[in-house]
Amino acid sequence: MDDERQRLQLIDAGGVGDLRLAVVSPFLWGPLPDLLKRFAEAAPEVDVTVTSPAPLQVLEDVRTRKADLGVVSVTAASELKERWGHELQIVKAGSFPLIAALPSALSSGNAPIDLRELDGATWFMVRSTLGVDSLPEIITGAWRDYHLRPGRVRTVESVPTAMPLIAAGLGLSLVPEPVRTMPGGGVMLRELRQELPHLESAVIYSRKSEFTAVMKLFLEMALDETREVI
């Protein structure tokens, strides 16, 4: 009876159960490893699975309950709420600045780079699928504001698929700062002289699903630093 009572207390506290996460790459490379470590220490009996699909698939997995919690990156989490808030609960969980990802052969030094030096280059652009502003809109806004004319624009599915193309010297892009933690070489990452909008991370979950104690515990840890709920 004591063992069963203790187990029930663990379940109530979110210490037992399953947690399915669908997370886009910036959050996957940035906060998630440390967050999972702290979560595992607090709830060692919770079985956590992580997938990293495309942003629109993250929303679909949460809507169809294939994932308990999702994380996407947008320019403003408030816009995501306006677009999807009727189906999803949306909570802001930090933000990331953008940096330039350049072929090593075309970049020297570590000083911040002026965007105007990238005029006429071939750019890689991820697909815009969420119906709200995200990385593609930040890049096109920078082109407009600093009068840049790309020599060519090549579409890629995600930032990770752009990185080997950049390493091969086929173009460049702006990417979230957590890219620095990705393994691999051939890409020079440099900060920008200009101030551009940051990408915000938004944790999402379905309004139709049960909000379990496990989900609550993970979300509280994800918001530990920002404490921003929209």
Side-chain angles (χ1 to χ4, degrees):
M1 289 181 66
D2 288 341
D3 289 344
E4 185 62 23
R5 185 181 297 109
Q6 185 177 19
R7 179 173 177 78
L8 290 173
Q9 290 173 343
L10 281 172
I11 293 174
D12 186 59
V16 175
D18 300 304
L19 181 64
R20 301 165 300 171
L21 303 173
V23 183
V24 294
S25 50
F27 198 85
L28 184 75
W29 306 321
L32 188 61
D34 180 65
L35 178 56
L36 288 176
K37 180 179 179 181
R38 292 188 290 116
F39 184 78
E41 292 171 351
E45 294 191 42
V46 174
D47 185 14
V48 180
T49 58
V50 180
T51 60
S52 184
L56 189 60
Q57 189 60 48
V58 172
L59 266 66
E60 185 64 19
D61 288 351
V62 171
R63 290 174 61 228
T64 58
R65 306 179 193 181
K66 294 180 181 178
D68 301 307
L69 295 172
V71 183
V72 294
S73 294
V74 293
T75 305
S78 56
E79 290 185 6
L80 189 67
K81 184 175 183 179
E82 291 178 6
R83 175 69 176 82
W84 296 98
H86 62 291
E87 293 184 70
L88 304 172
Q89 188 69 43
I90 299 163
V91 182
K92 182 181 174 183
S95 63
F96 307 112
L98 299 186
I99 56 177
L102 313 169
S104 295
L106 299 181
S107 176
S108 60
N110 297 314
I113 191 168
D114 191 317
L115 282 169
R116 288 166 289 200
E117 296 180 35
L118 309 180
D119 188 37
T122 295
W123 284 72
F124 290 106
M125 180 78 80
V126 298
R127 297 183 186 276
S128 181
T129 58
L130 294 177
V132 298
D133 289 354
S134 188
L135 180 59
E137 288 75 22
I138 296 177
I139 293 176
T140 55
W143 293 344
R144 180 190 65 246
D145 294 342
Y146 298 101
H147 310 290
L148 304 182
R149 294 185 178 181
R152 183 182 178 188
V153 179
R154 302 180 61 183
T155 302
V156 292
E157 290 295 328
S158 64
V159 171
T161 59
M163 298 305 283
L165 298 170
I166 296 172
L170 302 180
L172 54 84
S173 192
L174 301 183
V175 297
E177 196 273 340
V179 164
R180 293 186 186 278
T181 65
M182 286 184 64
V187 178
M188 177 68 72
L189 300 173
R190 293 174 63 180
E191 295 180 0
L192 304 172
R193 289 184 185 176
Q194 289 84 359
E195 183 69 26
L196 298 183
H198 289 197
L199 277 179
E200 295 183 356
S201 293
V203 181
I204 61 175
Y205 56 95
S206 174
R207 292 184 179 275
K208 299 179 181 179
S209 299
E210 177 189 1
F211 187 62
T212 66
V214 172
M215 294 166 62
K216 181 176 183 293
L217 177 61
F218 184 87
L219 189 58
E220 287 175 347
M221 289 188 171
L223 298 178
D224 186 48
E225 294 183 0
T226 62
R227 298 292 181 189
E228 295 189 68
V229 179
I230 61 171

